Each structure stands twice: as structure tokens, then as C-alpha cells.
Amino acid sequence: MNSNKIIKGKRPDFYSAPGVDYLMHMVTVLAQEHSAMRDRLDTLESVATEKGAFSPDDIEAYTPTQADLERREARRQKFLDNLFSVIAQEAAEVRNADTKQRFEQVITDLATQT
Amino acid sequence: MDSSALNTFQQAQHPVLVASDCDDRARQEFVKSFKTHIQQSILPAVSGVYFQRAVPAYANDHGKAPEDHREARQSFADDPLFQAYLCLNRSSQELQWFSVIDAIEADTQGLASRANDIAPAGGSLTLDANFEIPNYVSSLDIHCMPGGYCGPADAAKLHTGALYDRGVYLYSMGYMGPNNDDMGRSVCNYVKRNLPDLRPKRILDLGCTVGHSTLPYAELFPDAEVHAIDVSEACLTYAHHRAEGMGMPVHFAQMNAEQTSFESGSFDLIVSHILLHETSTKALPRIFKECHRLLAPGGAVIHADLPPFGDMDAYTQLILDNETWYNNEPFWSAMRTKDQIQLSADAGFDKATTHFDTAPMAIMEFAAASADESYTEEMATELTDREFTAGEYAPGGGWEVLIARK
């Protein structure tokens, strides 16, 4: 963390459930980055139009090739896997009987077994 | 308020305005849009929930509706929508500063170099090596600006001012005009229209920060000598470069408004802009007394700040009071409970003529005269014609001013 971004004065708690404040701020930052990306794409289209390369209409009129479709689908699936990885994790835990009890047992065993 | 017009107000260029790359500009624009959205879409939804959910529940338990901000907060504190509003508002404030800090750190050399190339405009900068920063400035980073007014010790002393200058533009969503000077400009207009006998020859701006409110006085009273003081060396250094870069001769000095080193009776107009709420119960009467000492007979003091709680409804008080608890504005609410008329009288001003008034926002004049096409008359009219709504910027399209004559 950049020390120039530290604010003197205790940051208030907004939600009583731990972690929600972190999450809300993270989502806000991600929204900001998403918005900045869209602005950059918009700039890209404007510059391309101005330079005579292509226009937003060309983008709308473009028909994806089969290779485009496959590449996009693969990227989207990977993105969705990442987005919902916690769900996949939990499903795997249930499948493998990987419980909290087992987790704690491992820690206890490794500390106490001689 | 009709929010159909999209706010695309842009800040005017000057040599020490931080240069932001395409992505930092976009992040800053996002903050401006996000703040607009919070005020125009989220806050009205929250307000509806307060009156429909929180007030009836409170009334059921207490036999009456909340009557002040404390009772309003008690009734609403646990509401998830209110919590979401507070949380998002805080993040918008943090993102505002962070998006500018990234740009400043990429532009450190550029800022120093551009400052170095500025041609003198006739102003000056006087610093005090033994200056003591008052605790109301140093205890918390006011309005969550990282580093506060006295900021990190960068070599060129431009970081803090550059951060504040750009941050004010984003915070105000451009409603302060292209030069962030709407408050100063509005008070100048007010003086010309309402105090026509006052033709100031020597003007003092207290707590000037980066001099954004000060410059209109140099522009609109060209025959006057304009002085501005602040406690922050960093802000004053930036203010000096900024003023010179914009061709405005202003004399900046590091002094505390509670006790300056100017001669008694040496100013005929003393002003401050959103200064008082960033001081303290101890400092406030001292500032009023110092103003009385510094004013020449016939002179006027005008403090532009935000209105006292007075007869404000409990919900409006609550939304304003959030600044105290969630935006590091420790004196914000306490200041609104002070009897400023009585404090003025105690300082020697005539109680009968000391009064509050509203100085209409000068942004209308910008829109009419500006070559900047982002400031349209339609948007300016919309801004200045509206009613006071808690949580919005510049209550009711005008600035609250306290006026006292000597």
C-alpha cells in the first residue's frame, strides 16, 4: 500500500458483519476500473475513427468468425470460473468430505502426534 | 431536482494542475459520476426509506418522530440501506483522492518543472519557519485527504496543493466552476451588489488553502491589494505558483487566522470560505476577534460556510452530520450549533446588523460568459434554481454567508 494513501483518523465501521466493508470498497474499486476501461475503449474508437482506421459502426457491423467465437467462449468460461471459484471450492469440499473438523484435526495431529 | 442534464463540467487548465493520463482521467471522471449518482439516485432512495421505515419504527417506540440528528441517527443507524449509502459515500471520497494521488506521483517531475517555468505575476509567498500547526488541522486528515493539509514532504511542496485542487473539482463535481472559484466569485458578486459603498483597497482571505477562492478578488477588485493566509506551507507554496501561473498577483503568507501579524485596521474586506467549520470551539471566537482587530472602520467581514442547524429538520441534520463521523470533519456539526451572531457581537461587531444571507452561486455567470462548452446555461440554471436538499452540493444553489460590518 502506498503510504501517501493512508488517511489519519480511524475508518468507521459501516456493517456489523466483518468483511462486508472490505467487500463493498473492493466492488467500488472494480466498478471504477471497469468504467475506466470502457472510457478507454471509447477513446480507442474515437481515435480510430478520427485517424480513418475504423468506426464504431464497423464494430457493430462486424460478424465474428468461428475462431473469434471459440476464443471468446473460452475466455468467458475462464472468467466465470474465476468469478464463481468459491462455489466450485465448496462443491469440491462436499464431494471430498473436506470438512472444518478434518482441517482442525490435521492441525492438531501435526502438532501433537509424536 | 431534474437530473436529466448530464454533468460534464471540466476543470480549466493552469500550469500546476496535475496532468493525468487517459486512465487516471477516466478514474477521476468515474468518481465524479459516482458522487453524482450517490446524491441523485441513492440518497433519494435512502431518504424514502428513512421516512417510511425508520421514522414510524422510532415513533412507535418513543411516541414521537426523531427531532434532531442524534435521534435521527438512533432511528436509522442499523438500516442496511443507510449503511450502504454511508459506505459507498466513504469509498467515493477515498477513490477521489487515490485517483489523483496516482496522477500526481506520475507527474511529480512535470509539476516541478512547470512551476519553475511560471513567469512572475507580482504576487509573493511568505513562509514562517517556526510556525505551529493548530491541532484542529493536524489531528485528523480533514475530509479524508491522505496526508491532510500539511501533506507529505515532497521536494517541490506541490503534492498537497495539487491533490486538493483536483480533489475539490471532483468533490464539487465541477459545480465550483472551471477554476474551483465559485465561492469567492459568488461573495465578490454579493459585495458588489449588496455593499455598493464598500470599495475595498486591501482584502484578506483567511484559510485560503490553494487560493482557489482568493483569485476572484484579484480579478474583480483589480485596484485592491489582495492578501491570503493559511497554516499550510505546502498549500501556500502551491497557491503561490497557481496564482502566478494564472497571472493573478496575490500575497500569500503562512499565518493562523486566530492571531495574524498584520497591523490593526489594515483591511477593509476580510473573507473566509468554508474555513470556520474546520476550526474549533476555542479558535472560532478568536478568529472573530482577530477579524474585528484587522478591519478598518467601515470595513466588512464575510464568512462563507454552511448554514447552522437552527430550524433544519432532523433528517437534513443527520445527512449533514455524517460528515463529522464519516468524512473526518470533526468540528462540522459542533460549529453548526454555535451562535455566530453572538460570537460576532462578543468580538466587537454590531449585533443588530450582523446577519446571515445567501450569496447566489456565480456559476450562472460562468455559463453565460464561458467559452468552455461543458458549462452550459441549462446545467447552471438547473443547479442554481433548485431547493435545498441535504447531501447535495451547494445547498439551494447559493452559499450561506455571515456578514458583519465595523
Side-chain angles (χ1 to χ4, degrees), chain B residues 16 62 65 71 122 165 229-230 326 350:
Chain B
V16 284
H62 297 81
E71 292 177 1
D165 195 4
I229 63 168
D230 198 88
Y326 299 103
D350 174 27

Side-chain angles (χ1 to χ4, degrees), chain B residues 16-196:
Chain B
V16 284
L17 183 69
V18 63
S20 304
D21 69 16
C22 181
D23 291 347
D24 282 335
R25 273 202 309 279
R27 292 184 187 103
Q28 293 163 12
E29 282 288 329
F30 171 79
V31 170
K32 200 154 67 70
S33 305
F34 189 34
K35 283 182 173 290
T36 302
H37 183 76
I38 289 170
Q39 291 191 5
Q40 295 187 356
S41 298
I42 295 178
L43 185 57
V46 170
S47 307
V49 168
Y50 171 78
F51 289 107
Q52 286 161 23
R53 192 152 73 191
V55 172
Y58 185 91
N60 197 42
D61 292 346
H62 297 81
K64 66 177 182 74
E67 286 174 355
D68 62 17
H69 62 86
R70 288 177 191 86
E71 292 177 1
R73 186 173 303 285
Q74 197 189 330
S75 77
F76 209 27
D78 293 332
D79 192 290
L81 208 61
F82 183 56
Q83 291 171 342
Y85 163 72
L86 292 172
C87 191
L88 292 172
N89 213 23
R90 171 67 176 229
S91 282
S92 79
Q93 189 72 357
E94 291 168 345
L95 262 54
Q96 164 193 295
W97 300 119
F98 296 169
S99 67
V100 182
I101 289 171
D102 288 335
I104 291 170
E105 294 186 342
D107 190 36
T108 304
Q109 298 294 327
L111 273 168
S113 159
R114 295 195 300 279
N116 203 40
D117 289 344
I118 292 168
S124 64
L125 173 65
T126 308
L127 299 173
D128 177 357
N130 300 313
F131 192 82
E132 205 172 306
I133 305 295
N135 68 342
Y136 48 84
V137 170
S138 61
S139 295
L140 296 178
D141 286 349
I142 291 184
H143 41 59
C144 295
M145 183 170 91
Y149 283 117
C150 298
D154 59 314
K157 294 176 194 162
L158 295 170
H159 175 107
T160 301
L163 179 57
Y164 184 84
D165 195 4
R166 186 67 180 164
V168 164
Y169 158 73
L170 297 174
Y171 180 79
S172 67
M173 296 161 288
Y175 292 143
M176 284 274 254
N179 295 317
N180 283 341
D181 66 357
D182 194 83
M183 284 194 95
R185 196 167 286 274
S186 302
V187 175
C188 284
N189 287 342
Y190 186 89
V191 169
K192 289 188 173 229
R193 288 164 193 165
N194 298 280
L195 310 172

Side-chain angles (χ1 to χ4, degrees), chain A:
Chain A
M1 180 73 179
N2 181 343
S3 65
N4 281 339
K5 291 184 177 172
I6 301 299
I7 299 161
K8 184 175 180 182
K10 168 77 180 74
R11 194 177 196 272
D13 299 323
F14 297 93
Y15 291 93
S16 51
V20 178
D21 287 1
Y22 301 154
L23 200 64
M24 285 288 276
H25 186 75
M26 288 163 63
V27 169
T28 307
V29 170
L30 293 174
Q32 181 188 36
E33 280 308 298
H34 173 75
S35 173
M37 182 77 85
R38 286 300 300 245
D39 282 4
R40 194 171 183 100
L41 283 176
D42 189 77
T43 302
L44 185 72
E45 291 177 17
S46 296
V47 172
T49 304
E50 194 183 295
K51 302 285 184 191
F54 60 84
S55 72
D57 288 344
D58 293 328
I59 292 174
E60 294 300 332
Y62 181 75
T63 304
T65 63
Q66 184 57 32
D68 290 337
L69 293 172
E70 289 169 11
R71 191 178 64 249
R72 289 178 193 186
E73 180 59 15
R75 190 173 56 236
R76 283 196 295 266
Q77 288 306 327
K78 190 175 176 188
F79 168 68
L80 292 166
D81 279 346
N82 289 337
L83 189 65
F84 297 115
S85 67
V86 176
I87 293 174
Q89 166 76 19
E90 191 169 332
E93 287 163 5
V94 171
R95 197 165 57 241
N96 301 328
D98 205 358
T99 61
K100 189 179 178 194
Q101 288 81 353
R102 192 190 79 79
F103 182 83
E104 289 168 352
Q105 192 60 51
V106 168
I107 292 170
T108 304
D109 289 350
L110 291 179
T112 57
Q113 285 174 352
T114 53

Side-chain angles (χ1 to χ4, degrees), chain B residues 121-390:
Chain B
S124 64
L125 173 65
T126 308
L127 299 173
D128 177 357
N130 300 313
F131 192 82
E132 205 172 306
I133 305 295
N135 68 342
Y136 48 84
V137 170
S138 61
S139 295
L140 296 178
D141 286 349
I142 291 184
H143 41 59
C144 295
M145 183 170 91
Y149 283 117
C150 298
D154 59 314
K157 294 176 194 162
L158 295 170
H159 175 107
T160 301
L163 179 57
Y164 184 84
D165 195 4
R166 186 67 180 164
V168 164
Y169 158 73
L170 297 174
Y171 180 79
S172 67
M173 296 161 288
Y175 292 143
M176 284 274 254
N179 295 317
N180 283 341
D181 66 357
D182 194 83
M183 284 194 95
R185 196 167 286 274
S186 302
V187 175
C188 284
N189 287 342
Y190 186 89
V191 169
K192 289 188 173 229
R193 288 164 193 165
N194 298 280
L195 310 172
D197 62 303
L198 190 71
R199 291 191 177 76
K201 291 289 173 215
R202 212 155 174 265
I203 300 170
L204 176 61
D205 182 17
L206 306 173
C208 66
T209 325
V210 297
H212 53 307
S213 299
T214 317
L215 299 194
Y217 295 88
E219 180 191 330
L220 296 169
F221 297 101
D223 297 332
E225 189 178 288
V226 179
H227 292 257
I229 63 168
D230 198 88
V231 298
S232 162
E233 176 184 3
C235 287
L236 288 163
T237 302
Y238 180 89
H240 173 63
H241 289 299
R242 184 182 185 275
E244 298 286 295
M246 293 168 79
M248 293 291 168
V250 173
H251 302 287
F252 293 99
Q254 189 176 22
M255 291 189 207
N256 185 326
E258 297 173 59
Q259 187 177 17
T260 72
S261 55
F262 294 116
E263 279 182 34
S264 297
S266 58
F267 292 96
D268 38 26
L269 176 61
I270 300 176
V271 293
S272 78
H273 312 85
I274 44 172
L275 164 71
L276 300 181
H277 76 265
E278 292 182 359
T279 65
S280 70
T281 293
K282 188 177 168 189
L284 195 58
R286 289 167 59 90
I287 292 171
F288 281 23
K289 280 177 188 148
E290 182 67 357
C291 287
H292 190 264
R293 182 184 76 80
L294 293 175
L295 267 189
V301 58
I302 303 181
H303 297 291
D305 213 298
L306 299 163
F309 281 142
D311 297 329
M312 227 178 254
D313 68 90
Y315 180 70
T316 303
Q317 287 187 22
L318 169 67
I319 297 302
L320 294 172
D321 180 57
N322 287 334
E323 295 293 309
T324 304
W325 303 103
Y326 299 103
N327 198 22
N328 285 3
E329 292 273 12
F331 191 50
W332 177 278
S333 290
M335 184 265 190
R336 290 165 190 276
T337 65
K338 304 291 175 194
D339 184 347
Q340 295 180 56
I341 305 284
Q342 185 58 48
L343 286 174
S344 299
D346 294 346
F349 291 100
D350 174 27
K351 190 171 182 176
T353 56
T354 301
H355 64 286
F356 282 101
D357 203 351
T358 302
M361 291 180 80
I363 197 169
M364 288 291 282
E365 274 112 286
F366 272 129
S370 179
D372 181 345
E373 62 188 23
S374 77
Y375 284 84
T376 65
E377 288 199 64
E378 182 198 356
M379 283 192 282
T381 306
E382 183 181 89
L383 181 69
T384 50
D385 281 355
R386 75 222 153 104
E387 294 297 312
F388 174 77
T389 305

